[in-house]
Amino acid sequence: MDAYDKGSNARPVPGEPAAAVPDSHEPPDSHEPSDSQASPDSQASPGGQQPSGEAPALIPQQYGDQQRDGRQYDGQDGRQYNEQYDEQCDDQYVDTALAGPPLPPPAGIAALSLPYQIAAALALAVVAVAACVHVGMVFLHVAPSNTVTKQHGQAIDEWIYPEFEQNWKLFAPNPLQQNIAVQVRADVRAADGDMRTTGWYDLSALDGAAIDGNLLPSHTQQNELRRAWDFFVATHDNANRPNGLRGALSEKYLRRIVVLRLDREQAGGRGAVVQQVQVRSRTTNVQPPKWSQEQVSDKPIVRELPWWPVSEADRAAGTRPAESMGTEASVR
């Protein structure tokens, strides 16, 4: 008889407890296994019995060789458990794969609430319409004369001038290569009644000093005086006589600008009244670079206009009261 015989004379196996002696009224093969040998599945089986001569089977462990729920399974129950467990794992992996990475939070306009989204959309629409209108106006301004510009030329000019004027001198074959300084002096009546003549005020230099270092210079500082002088030169001949209907207009425009500037600089001292003014231009050529072989004259060209009497209308065009405070400019 070997060690697995279940009879009363079975030889005990070292290290195992001695088998219990069966009752004389029951067959040897019908005894119940001990608590240490019975498995949970054998207790749950019908009749609570385990076939004779079979040891409890251990289910091969998967997924890290860990026991599920700390129990052992045998036979068909173990296989059913493995199949159910595998199906649950497959479902979990499939759901995770379909879900993908988490979506990022909304950004930009989508992150705003509905009222703010509507307001932002309206603002963008207004900006887009204004940009399209501006591009169209500039195109019509620089385009050759056509039916649209003939019918709506005034509206186009009102949109373009003076802020968006297009100047093509930079792309001309011979761009402007001169520095033109507009200067003025005046005969003033001082507060004590004496008449005196001021020195030359370099108005172009004053505008240049106001623009230098200024990130946002005004249109007046950049173009008012320069455009007034260009307007005068274009409507007068070399003898300073008007050559068209706009000659008188350009003269009045330039005179009012210089009177306003002299009053701002308090020409002749506090309380002095400007009686007449004289304007001149001082033109110097821009010297070519050292590597150029071009030769230009460095002698300035002076164009001096006659004296213009100042009327009350000229002073009322924008001059300040005589008692106003201000900084007196350098006189040349």
Side-chain angles (χ1 to χ4, degrees), residues 191-204:
D192 55 4
D194 293 339
M195 292 290 297
R196 67 185 65 172
T197 302
T198 66
W200 289 99
Y201 287 85
D202 194 339
L203 302 182
S204 297

Side-chain angles (χ1 to χ4, degrees), residues 206-286:
L206 294 175
D207 286 346
I211 295 173
D212 189 18
N214 188 356
L215 297 179
L216 298 173
S218 68
H219 179 74
T220 302
Q221 295 169 340
Q222 298 180 81
N223 299 317
E224 183 185 52
L225 182 63
R226 179 182 62 83
R227 291 295 306 275
W229 179 254
D230 290 343
F231 185 26
F232 177 85
V233 172
T235 56
H236 288 73
D237 57 17
N238 293 331
N240 300 322
R241 293 188 300 263
N243 54 15
L245 298 177
R246 305 178 68 188
L249 177 63
S250 64
E251 180 180 330
K252 183 183 297 184
Y253 181 52
L254 181 60
R255 183 170 63 250
R256 291 188 176 185
I257 289 177
V258 297
V259 170
L260 176 65
R261 299 291 185 90
L262 290 173
D263 183 78
R264 185 183 304 170
E265 301 300 329
Q266 293 189 355
R270 186 184 300 274
V273 179
V274 177
Q275 300 295 317
Q276 58 181 0
V277 295
Q278 185 181 25
V279 181
R280 74 177 183 182
S281 67
R282 189 172 185 271
T283 304
T284 55
N285 294 320
V286 177

Side-chain angles (χ1 to χ4, degrees), residues 178-202:
Q178 295 175 330
N179 288 325
I180 302 176
V182 179
Q183 302 171 350
V184 62
R185 65 178 178 176
D187 284 342
V188 299
R189 185 180 298 277
D192 55 4
D194 293 339
M195 292 290 297
R196 67 185 65 172
T197 302
T198 66
W200 289 99
Y201 287 85
D202 194 339

